[in-house]
Amino acid sequence: MALYNFKRIQVVPSANDFLDIVLSKTQRKTPTVIHPGYKISRIRQFYMRKVKFTQDNFEEKLNAILEDFPKMDSIHPFYSDLMNILYDKDHYKLALGQLNTARHLISAVGKDYARLLKFGDSLYRCKQLKRAAMGRMATIMKRQKDSLAYLEQVRQHLSRLPSIDPNTRTLIVCGYPNVGKSSFMNKVTRADVDVQPYAFTTKSLFVGHMDYKYLRWQVIDTPGILDHPLEDRNTIEMQSITALAHLRACVMFFIDLSEQCGYSIASQVSLYNSIRPLFATKPTMLVVSKIDTMRLENVDEETRQLIESLLKEPNVQMSQLSTFTDEGVMETRNQACERLLATRVESKLKGHKINDVLNRLHLAQPSKREGVERPPCIPQAALARKKYDPEDPKRRRLERDIEVEQGGPGVFSVDLKKNYMLKDDDWKYDTVPEIMEGKNVVDFVDPEIEERLEALEREEDRLVEQGYYELEEESDDSDDAQIRRTAKSIRERKAIISEKRRILKGTQTAILPQKVRNRMATSDDLKNHLSSLGLDETISTNTARSRSRAPKRARSPSRAESMAREASVAARAQSVIRDRSQVGLRSEVARQKTRKLKQLSERSRNLAARQGEADRAITSSKPKHLFVGKRGVGKADRR
């Protein structure tokens, strides 16, 4: 079936599109830079590569077209004749032949100019040879404009054709227009063929599929056929004639006795006799349609004899149906399928392949032993076994009978223990011991626990009736109240301590290892460094001493002293430390440099801060991969 899948044929480009595809691929896939200063061997190789690459591209595209389109002489005769009817075999072969000739001409041009390029003595001459080669190839392809356009139209029509397998099980529905062929196909398959009350609604072959006996069948609805000579039939009718002539199928010829189709019964019989030679060796069904309007029993004697005369041939049978009331539709379908199956099996038995099948089959026969014949037989028990009858009183009770007796589905529970194979059947429903920590739980259960529980419940009910639980609770004494207050304060204190510990845990700093602390600078190193910079080393000594000395517990200052101290600290901080990034810088130049570096480092973060999620970031206005190695707008003679 994959051999006749015409939908996989690739699109055939026009002549101009063909040239654009090939030449742009040559420009993209081959080097584009060459200079007069290069060696002449390198220049020759540069242009030879372009010529050979272009030739290969043309041949590859033309080969793909020639291989995709079916060959008239290598496909099934049904498709060969169908394509001849639809597209004209001579025109189709001529178009493919012209493309094949163009492929050979392009190959010859490429080889000739590649040979001439070997003798090029300058960049200019090599370039001119390359231009001449590509120009001749382009001219050859432009001459194929009509062939390419024709093949594209053929491809589009082929892709719309139904996928018909010529070798599978097939039913062909044929007859005059408007006799009920499409209605029958819509009933027996999942196809949706247009049905209208006028002739020639179906203008091409339609295929539907169905299942019968777990096999896939295809039903072909053919356009209507008129009774006139073969040479007068048009393209629509010739499609039906082609299907009838070439497909191994069961032919179902429809006849409308009511003559609502617009043609008399005599004309329909005449059409059957004229096309009968096309399917003389195939199983044929004479289908009388629209029996809801007119049946065969209701027609006159002359007409009945005319129709019955068609049944004289051995492989012709008749059936009646009505697609309006669905009467006889399935019976007709089944009868046609059975006839086709029998015909296919009979043809296979007559063929030469049956010997290969029989050679793989072996029937084993028991050998004679002890002088006793042992012919094949069926056991008496199997013969005496009756089919299950729910009304038979002697039948064996099944599980579903027990289910019905005990409440039906949803109520009945299957007894899984009745089939246990134990030494004693009385053990089937014993409680399975529950073992926990190596001991049986049942051994530790009080056997009188049920009675004791009932006694407790009675005692509880009696106390409730007497109002024992309704008495007011005695007030707590002073000792219990003091204990509760103490416990409450302890819980509050623990909560405060836990919260402080959680806060301190988040602010802890890492502890440096001993090796790192040994390598750190000492106070003497700091003094020497400050002295080399011209600063007073006593500042660091006093600062370190003030930090290392434990603070003394001072007396609590008065309110006035506290306010004065806070004001002095604030003034000193405002006057000295205005910007922490400027602390420790010796000159104004250093401070300006630091400020500039700070602004530069913050610029990218400030730009990112102003961007939103939907902002489009263009990192580079000229991406390198789009502009490197490309030709400019100047002259190209140097190439």
Side-chain angles (χ1 to χ4, degrees):
M1 193 58 202
L3 182 63
Y4 308 110
N5 184 15
F6 301 134
K7 294 179 176 59
R8 62 177 177 82
I9 301 177
Q10 298 180 1
V11 177
V12 180
S14 62
N16 292 331
D17 293 341
F18 203 106
L19 293 178
D20 291 341
I21 292 169
V22 174
L23 295 181
S24 72
K25 186 175 181 180
T26 302
Q27 180 70 5
R28 287 183 289 109
K29 298 290 187 180
T30 58
T32 57
V33 178
I34 191 70
H35 297 291
Y38 290 165
K39 289 183 179 181
I40 189 63
S41 59
R42 182 175 178 182
I43 296 173
R44 292 170 183 165
Q45 189 64 30
F46 176 85
Y47 287 109
M48 287 173 61
R49 181 176 179 182
K50 282 187 174 293
V51 172
K52 295 296 292 182
F53 191 84
T54 307
Q55 172 196 341
D56 292 341
N57 284 340
F58 274 114
E59 290 183 353
E60 180 183 354
K61 298 291 290 182
L62 292 173
N63 279 331
I65 294 174
L66 294 173
E67 291 176 1
D68 283 347
F69 279 90
K71 306 295 186 298
M72 285 287 193
D73 300 330
S74 61
I75 60 176
H76 195 274
F78 164 70
Y79 275 113
S80 180
D81 284 0
L82 185 62
M83 292 179 66
N84 184 25
I85 292 168
L86 297 174
Y87 317 122
D88 186 6
K89 181 188 296 184
D90 297 334
H91 195 178
Y92 177 78
K93 285 187 174 182
L94 186 61
L96 291 180
Q98 287 179 349
L99 288 188
N100 192 25
T101 303
R103 181 185 61 175
H104 291 305
L105 291 177
I106 289 174
S107 177
V109 168
K111 291 178 182 179
D112 292 343
Y113 278 89
R115 190 180 304 112
L116 291 174
L117 278 168
K118 293 181 181 179
F119 302 98
D121 56 356
S122 65
L123 185 146
Y124 178 77
R125 291 190 179 180
C126 291
K127 180 182 178 180
Q128 294 304 108
L129 288 172
K130 184 263 297 185
R131 292 181 62 183
M134 291 189 174
R136 289 190 61 183
M137 294 178 188
T139 303
I140 293 171
M141 284 309 305
K142 286 181 179 178
R143 291 174 182 170
Q144 309 305 319
K145 177 180 65 174
D146 296 336
S147 298
L148 293 173
Y150 169 76
L151 288 176
E152 173 60 17
Q153 295 295 324
V154 172
R155 184 201 67 83
Q156 294 178 7
H157 196 276
L158 275 175
S159 64
R160 292 192 292 267
L161 286 180
S163 297
I164 299 175
D165 189 354
N167 301 315
T168 191
R169 295 160 292 274
T170 308
L171 304 179
I172 297 180
V173 182
C174 64
Y176 258 101
N178 204 23
V179 294
K181 303 185 298 297
S182 300
S183 300
F184 172 75
M185 182 171 177
N186 291 340
K187 289 290 183 179
V188 300
T189 68
R190 290 182 286 272
D192 187 15
V193 185
D194 188 20
V195 177
Q196 298 295 340
Y198 50 82
F200 286 107
T201 307
T202 305
K203 297 181 180 180
S204 63
L205 299 177
F206 283 90
V207 180
H209 294 84
M210 66 178 185
D211 292 329
Y212 179 71
K213 286 191 173 180
Y214 303 101
L215 298 173
R216 176 55 57 95
W217 297 69
Q218 66 180 6
V219 183
I220 300 178
D221 181 19
T222 62
I225 308 173
L226 300 180
D227 186 18
H228 48 236
L230 183 65
E231 57 272 8
D232 295 339
R233 290 194 169 99
N234 56 19
T235 304
I236 297 176
E237 295 176 278
M238 287 303 297
Q239 296 181 51
S240 302
I241 298 298
T242 305
L244 292 171
H246 292 292
L247 294 180
R248 296 173 53 197
C250 177
V251 179
M252 305 178 70
F253 187 86
F254 275 62
I255 293 180
D256 182 11
L257 295 181
S258 64
E259 298 183 354
Q260 295 178 354
C261 61
Y263 303 96
S264 63
I265 299 176
S267 299
Q268 299 179 55
V269 173
S270 176
L271 173 65
Y272 177 84
N273 292 326
S274 63
I275 65 173
R276 175 59 183 163
L278 296 174
F279 48 88
T281 60
K282 301 172 185 175
T284 307
M285 293 288 299
L286 194 65
V287 181
V288 178
S289 62
K290 303 181 183 180
I291 59 175
D292 56 308
T293 305
M294 177 67 69
R295 292 180 178 271
L296 184 62
E297 296 81 9
N298 300 332
V299 298
D300 54 36
E301 185 65 25
E302 182 180 357
T303 304
R304 186 183 302 112
Q305 292 179 0
L306 184 63
I307 294 177
E308 291 178 352
S309 65
L310 304 178
L311 304 176
K312 294 180 180 179
E313 299 182 14
N315 60 341
V316 180
Q317 294 183 5
M318 187 178 68
S319 66
Q320 303 184 47
L321 60 86
S322 172
T323 55
F324 183 75
T325 61
D326 292 344
E327 180 184 355
V329 174
M330 291 297 116
E331 291 79 0
T332 302
R333 184 205 69 170
N334 298 344
Q335 187 178 356
C337 293
E338 290 292 343
R339 293 202 61 202
L340 181 60
L341 282 179
T343 305
R344 287 170 66 93
V345 171
E346 183 180 355
S347 63
K348 289 180 180 179
L349 290 175
K350 292 180 180 179
H352 62 277
K353 292 184 178 180
I354 190 63
N355 296 327
D356 299 335
V357 177
L358 294 176
N359 290 337
R360 293 195 295 267
L361 299 177
H362 174 67
L363 179 62
Q365 293 287 348
S367 59
K368 185 177 180 180
R369 293 182 290 109
E370 302 175 358
V372 179
E373 290 287 344
R374 294 179 174 84
C377 64
I378 301 176
Q380 292 297 326
L383 293 174
R385 187 177 300 165
K386 295 181 180 180
K387 189 177 179 181
Y388 174 75
D389 184 9
E391 304 299 332
D392 187 4
K394 298 181 180 180
R395 61 179 174 81
R396 182 171 57 91
R397 293 182 75 245
L398 303 178
E399 197 72 22
R400 57 182 167 185
D401 300 326
I402 303 174
E403 178 183 2
V404 173
E405 294 173 1
Q406 298 187 8
V411 180
F412 170 70
S413 180
V414 181
D415 187 4
L416 301 177
K417 296 183 178 181
K418 65 180 181 180
N419 295 324
Y420 283 2
M421 293 182 294
L422 301 176
K423 188 175 181 180
D424 188 354
D425 289 341
D426 297 336
W427 296 350
K428 288 184 179 180
Y429 298 97
D430 287 351
T431 303
V432 178
E434 184 176 355
I435 306 299
M436 187 172 63
E437 296 181 357
K439 299 178 181 179
N440 191 354
V441 178
V442 180
D443 296 340
F444 297 89
V445 176
D446 190 352
E448 300 178 357
I449 191 170
E450 299 279 347
E451 300 175 0
R452 296 187 181 185
L453 181 59
E454 292 177 359
L456 282 176
E457 289 177 352
R458 290 193 297 270
E459 180 67 20
E460 191 72 15
D461 294 339
R462 186 181 60 79
L463 292 176
V464 170
E465 291 174 358
Q466 293 178 0
Y468 176 78
Y469 294 108
E470 296 178 0
L471 298 177
E472 297 183 358
E473 296 182 358
E474 297 180 359
S475 60
D476 297 338
D477 52 4
S478 58
D479 294 340
D480 293 343
Q482 181 64 26
I483 291 172
R484 288 193 177 87
R485 286 196 296 272
T486 305
K488 184 179 180 181
S489 62
I490 290 173
R491 284 194 295 271
E492 292 176 354
R493 181 62 179 168
K494 288 178 66 178
I496 293 171
I497 293 172
S498 176
E499 185 66 19
K500 286 183 178 181
R501 189 173 298 167
R502 186 183 63 80
I503 295 173
L504 291 174
K505 185 177 181 181
T507 58
Q508 287 180 355
T509 57
I511 300 174
L512 295 175
Q514 184 64 33
K515 295 180 180 180
V516 178
R517 291 201 297 271
N518 292 340
R519 291 198 301 267
M520 293 177 63
T522 61
S523 59
D524 295 337
D525 297 336
L526 181 59
K527 288 180 182 180
N528 296 335
H529 181 63
L530 292 176
S531 300
S532 64
L533 296 176
L535 299 177
D536 188 5
E537 67 273 9
T538 59
I539 298 175
S540 62
T541 306
N542 297 336
T543 303
R545 187 176 297 127
S546 63
R547 290 180 180 177
S548 61
R549 187 182 301 128
K552 295 182 180 179
R553 185 173 181 179
R555 63 181 181 84
S556 58
S558 62
R559 181 176 181 81
E561 292 176 352
S562 299
M563 292 178 64
R565 182 177 300 170
E566 291 177 0
S568 63
V569 169
R572 186 165 59 253
Q574 186 174 5
S575 60
V576 178
I577 308 177
R578 296 184 182 273
D579 188 357
R580 296 183 65 87
S581 63
Q582 307 295 325
V583 176
L585 300 178
R586 290 179 291 176
S587 62
E588 184 64 24
V589 176
R591 283 193 288 273
Q592 290 181 359
K593 187 176 180 180
T594 304
R595 195 178 299 112
K596 186 176 181 180
L597 292 174
K598 176 186 175 185
Q599 292 175 355
L600 288 174
S601 64
E602 291 175 350
R603 182 176 298 175
S604 61
R605 293 196 296 272
N606 293 338
L607 288 175
R610 287 195 292 270
Q611 288 182 345
E613 294 180 356
D615 291 340
R616 180 182 178 187
I618 301 177
T619 57
S620 175
S621 59
K622 285 191 173 184
K624 184 175 181 181
H625 69 280
L626 294 180
F627 292 91
V628 170
K630 298 298 182 290
R631 300 174 58 180
V633 295
K635 295 182 179 179
D637 290 341
R638 65 184 186 279
R639 299 178 184 274

